[in-house]
Amino acid sequence: MIYNAKYECMSREDMRALQSGRLKATVKTCYEKSPFYKRKMDELGITPDDIKSIDDIAKLPFTTKHDLRDEYPFGLQVVPQDQVVRIHASSGTTGKPVVDTYTKNDIDMWAEGVARVMAAGGVKAGDMVQVSYGYGLFTGGLGAHDGAAKLGAVQLPTSAGKTEKQIMLMQDFGTTVLACTPSYAMRLAEAIHNSDQVSIDKMKLKAGFFGAEPWTEGMRKELEEKLHIKAYDIYGLTEMCGPGVGGECEYQDGTHLWEDMFFPEIINPETLQPVAPGEFGELVFTSLCKEAMPIIRYRTRDLTRLIYDKCKCGRTAVRMDRILGRSDDMLIIRGVNVFPSQIEACLTEFPAFQPYYFITVDRKNNEDTFDLDVELRADLYTADPQKQAEYVKPLFSQIVSMVGIKPNIRVLEPFGIERSTGKAKHVLDKRDFSK
Ligand code: DLL
């Protein structure tokens, strides 16, 4: 179902006009109310009058995660505190978290973004949405919750973790929709299949909305088969509100971005110039309706491309290709660029292996080492190195041909790789780049 046809199916011309008006208003507010943006625009010698339409967006300064950390916690907020009704933050691995604050309208806009994604995947009143994203400062739990509420669906706020209880409730309550990270969905699927208390055949699941981390088509196939669902990608980031910046439609052929709310650009991360239409690069967003903390040209670090062809579903909203990875997740091993998602893509081509993996990179004798821990399916597990080698050989060749470097593949015992309830951690880089 199309939740808001006015915006999701707007003509490109009308969309540009809408975006132009909203950009001008956002820039004016930022210039007048945010010392940070006034300073940045003054440095570039521009004022709000220089922004006449969305075509002028490239004149504006970028905002980076670094800027947000410098302005921690509320430096970018442009409304008085009594208009703020919610605060979220993304954990981040180092230093202070990135904070987003919301007015009532911001929460409403955000819920609509998620509702559009869930409606595109068939969710409606009467559905029961089990929200197994973490509730808390992380935007996943409450974001999915509010989106489901907007559609009049039942919200089942289980949060992440307590896997045995989750699957019991899933069966007993008749959950129809699951929302969680793709890695936690894998863990739930595994727990269901290993359980003698519940059975997927007794469940009513029909759809899943998975995001917050990169995942692959191989993983989608696996989740759809194991959970008897259609698995949809949902994208978002704290800086723009949270999940629901975009999501897939029934054709599962790219993530529609809600361009009336967030203006997307793709830039070359080296030159910072826009790439040619359809080329890969770094995704940049400008919020077009955020009230409490508007953000101009935020560099997401996510690498993808935009597809402006019309989608079969009738939506005109631009589509984004799967996120290849984050530029800061990219490993350079022996001079070769490696994205963890490439390893996952290889792994899911071999059904003998579980889709779990862990990469350890180190440097020994001035050379990078690249260890890849994998698991065989429990029923195929063997400790015999020769038998293991039979399984490992084709996987090794595939990784060498796809990624271009040779991993040292180690087969761990079943459950040897830690299962995640939120965003999975796939990499340990032990190299010391300070030396
Ligand atoms: O992860 C918001 C979210 C929650 C999205 C639940 C979807 C579902 P952050 O913690 O700020 O917010 O992390 C944002 O996660 O820049 C991407 O690198 C990554 N990410 C989010 N969704 C996807 C996705 C939430 N569908 C960062 N595919 C983003 C790939 C994703 N990466």
Side-chain angles (χ1 to χ4, degrees), residues 175-236:
T175 296
T176 57
V177 177
L178 174 64
C180 61
T181 62
S183 30
Y184 193 46
M186 279 306 304
R187 179 165 172 192
L188 287 166
E190 188 175 44
I192 292 168
H193 285 271
N194 290 337
S195 162
D196 40 24
Q197 310 291 313
V198 300
S199 152
I200 196 68
D201 295 324
K202 291 194 191 135
M203 295 198 180
K204 293 191 180 150
L205 283 177
K206 62 173 193 185
F209 294 88
F210 306 128
E213 61 184 358
W215 53 305
T216 55
E217 282 308 309
M219 183 85 115
R220 185 203 311 268
K221 201 165 152 264
E222 197 140 353
L223 285 171
E224 293 194 331
E225 279 169 15
K226 288 193 168 145
L227 290 172
H228 299 186
I229 55 170
K230 247 181 123 167
Y232 297 96
D233 203 352
I234 177 167
Y235 172 82

Side-chain angles (χ1 to χ4, degrees), residues 140-192:
L142 283 166
H145 183 104
D146 289 347
K150 215 167 185 61
L151 291 171
V154 180
Q155 306 115 62
L156 184 59
T158 50
S159 195
K162 301 212 170 88
T163 303
E164 295 308 314
K165 191 165 179 194
Q166 296 255 1
I167 60 176
M168 180 187 85
L169 299 183
M170 197 177 276
Q171 175 164 306
D172 293 349
F173 291 2
T175 296
T176 57
V177 177
L178 174 64
C180 61
T181 62
S183 30
Y184 193 46
M186 279 306 304
R187 179 165 172 192
L188 287 166
E190 188 175 44
I192 292 168

Side-chain angles (χ1 to χ4, degrees), residues 236-309:
L237 61 162
T238 313
E239 295 83 345
M240 287 301 122
C241 62
V245 169
E248 285 180 319
C249 65
E250 65 271 32
Y251 292 99
Q252 298 172 305
D253 190 17
T255 293
H256 288 281
L257 296 175
W258 309 135
E259 289 175 88
D260 51 310
M261 304 174 179
F262 313 100
F263 184 77
E265 297 172 83
I266 302 284
I267 60 161
N268 176 324
E270 307 287 322
T271 64
L272 305 186
Q273 295 304 310
V275 300
E279 260 183 35
F280 277 90
E282 180 181 338
L283 183 61
V284 170
F285 279 114
T286 299
S287 72
L288 296 175
C289 322
K290 269 173 106 222
E291 289 181 341
M293 216 183 251
I295 306 263
I296 293 174
R297 301 192 86 199
Y298 180 67
R299 292 189 56 186
T300 64
R301 301 274 169 193
D302 291 329
L303 301 171
T304 182
R305 67 188 180 115
L306 295 179
I307 306 156
Y308 282 94
D309 304 344

